[in-house]
Amino acid sequence: MIPKVYIDGKDTYTEYGLLLASKTISLPKVRTNMIDVPGRDGLIDASDALTGEATYKNRTIKLELIGVPSLNGKDWPSAISDFCNTVHGKRVKVKFSEDTAHYYSGRCSAGDVKLNKIKQTIPVTVDCDPWKYKIERTTVSRSDLGTAYKQLALPNESRPVIPTITVAQDTVLLWGGNTINVSAGDHILPAIRLAAGNNILKAKVASGTGSITVTYQEASM
């Protein structure tokens, strides 16, 4: 299969006659804070002092796109103008054919167009967020809440995330041994933060039946 790249949902070859010739996706560098204390051996690593976990800088995607006008039937000047007008300097979503479940998000820059014999090349750089995101937001629901706790299994990829919790009536949430009372509506609760892996949230109502929906954006390296 010929590898493909999609920018804002558009296949670069189908849309612009540009094939993906090569790509490089860097891993984001860890943000570090090393403190040098005079008279002390070594350095104090305060990198995760504020958040309790590693944080990251942006990552870079570098692409080389090629076009052969005599083969793809595209008018080269028009195709390049269309491509650059659409993506150059813009914030875009980038997806690859080998991982259609995720996308990268970042600022796109097109480089100098070059002619090499019969093919034209254009380099593209995208300054991306450190994480790649799942195409679809994750939604977990239950419509059978009662007066005894019901469990919601909340799987999460690598990035910790605070979900949006929507309940239909006054509801008691049980998270990590702590109870949280919420009224009907949407809630973003900093105390409920999904870690990587499997997370369990429990919920119940005081009387009758209720419903709950948990929505969040999963992301991975």
Side-chain angles (χ1 to χ4, degrees):
M1 177 188 293
I2 298 175
K4 293 184 177 182
V5 58
Y6 303 85
I7 300 180
D8 283 343
K10 296 179 179 179
D11 177 348
T12 58
Y13 184 71
T14 301
E15 191 73 19
Y16 309 106
L18 296 171
L19 280 171
L20 176 61
S22 67
K23 75 172 186 287
T24 302
I25 304 175
S26 71
L27 280 176
K29 292 184 178 179
V30 180
R31 293 185 180 275
T32 58
N33 182 16
M34 311 300 289
I35 302 172
D36 190 356
V37 179
R40 183 186 187 281
D41 288 333
L43 301 175
I44 297 176
D45 186 352
S47 302
D48 54 7
L50 293 178
T51 62
E53 60 199 25
T55 56
Y56 304 92
K57 299 180 181 181
N58 274 10
R59 72 198 306 169
T60 302
I61 295 177
K62 293 185 178 181
L63 311 173
E64 183 183 30
L65 304 179
I66 62 171
V68 181
S70 61
L71 297 179
N72 60 38
K74 299 286 185 179
D75 176 71
W76 180 255
S78 297
I80 288 299
S81 291
D82 288 346
F83 178 75
C84 292
N85 287 334
T86 302
V87 307
H88 186 51
K90 310 292 178 57
R91 190 161 184 92
V92 299
K93 293 180 179 179
V94 181
K95 182 177 68 173
F96 297 99
S97 55
E98 68 270 22
D99 183 8
T100 56
H102 295 88
Y103 69 89
Y104 301 85
S105 179
R107 185 72 58 180
C108 183
S109 298
D112 296 336
V113 180
K114 296 181 180 179
L115 173 64
N116 182 6
K117 296 183 179 179
I118 65 169
K119 68 179 182 180
Q120 311 262 8
T121 65
I122 181 169
V124 175
T125 301
V126 189
D127 183 17
C128 293
D129 298 345
W131 303 93
K132 63 178 182 180
Y133 304 102
K134 288 190 74 172
I135 295 291
E136 302 292 340
R137 291 173 65 84
T138 301
T139 300
V140 179
S141 300
R142 290 199 73 146
S143 58
D144 60 347
L145 295 187
T147 55
Y149 281 116
K150 296 288 180 68
Q151 179 174 295
L152 290 91
L154 306 174
N156 187 38
E157 292 188 335
S158 299
R159 185 189 65 160
V161 62
I162 298 173
T164 298
I165 299 173
T166 303
V167 294
Q169 65 185 79
D170 291 352
T171 303
V172 181
L173 306 175
L174 181 60
W175 176 257
N178 299 314
T179 58
I180 303 172
N181 294 287
V182 294
S183 57
D186 298 333
H187 303 274
I188 298 175
L189 306 168
I192 298 180
R193 191 166 185 263
L194 306 184
N198 295 318
N199 300 267
I200 299 298
L201 174 67
K202 296 181 179 181
K204 69 177 182 178
V205 294
S207 62
T209 59
S211 64
I212 182 172
T213 299
V214 183
T215 306
Y216 51 99
Q217 176 69 66
E218 293 188 67
S220 176
M221 287 292 178

